[in-house]
């Protein structure tokens, strides 16, 4: 599996988790590159109720509630199993003209890298 396929799988797993956890609510997920100590580590996903980090090297996904409580932690095998159960999901891609609060948040993260 290529890195971009692993990223798509992680993104789909976050969306499926939100749909399971909060049925009937529309979930919009934003993501940004996660860099630590100057190195690419993966992606950070955020919605109103959860945040998640996908660690690319370990192919591990950790999902936290908005107050920081760990709700799920899945390794590569568990991600593959979840993906097989839920199948691919279609995520709306954020437009280039995001709202100013989203854009400034993403710009801050990009500049910090």
């Amino acid at each position: 599996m290529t890195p971009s396929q692993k990223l798509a799988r992680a993104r789909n797993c976050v969306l499926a988790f939100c749909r399971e956890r909060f049925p009937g609510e529309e979930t919009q997920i934003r993501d940004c590159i996660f860099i630590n100590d100057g190195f690419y580590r993966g992606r950070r996903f955020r919605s109103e109720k959860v945040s998640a980090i996908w660690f690319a090297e370990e192919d591990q996904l950790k999902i936290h509630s908005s107050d920081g409580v760990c709700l799920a932690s899945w390794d590569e095998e568990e991600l593959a199993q979840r993906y097989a159960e839920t199948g691919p999901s279609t995520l709306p891609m954020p437009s280039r003209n995001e709202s100013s609060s989203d854009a400034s948040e993403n710009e801050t993260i990009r500049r910090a890298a």
Side-chain angles (χ1 to χ4, degrees), residues 37-52:
D37 291 332
F39 293 97
Y40 173 78
R41 302 294 185 196
R43 291 283 179 143
R44 180 183 298 271
F45 303 96
R46 290 190 176 131
S47 74
E48 288 182 17
K49 299 191 178 192
V50 300
S51 68

Side-chain angles (χ1 to χ4, degrees), residues 17-36:
F17 177 86
C18 289
R19 288 181 177 164
E20 282 178 17
R21 188 76 129 169
F22 312 107
E25 295 183 25
E26 183 178 333
T27 302
Q28 293 186 359
I29 296 175
R30 301 180 318 268
D31 69 274
C32 60
I33 294 173
F34 177 55
I35 295 176
N36 188 3

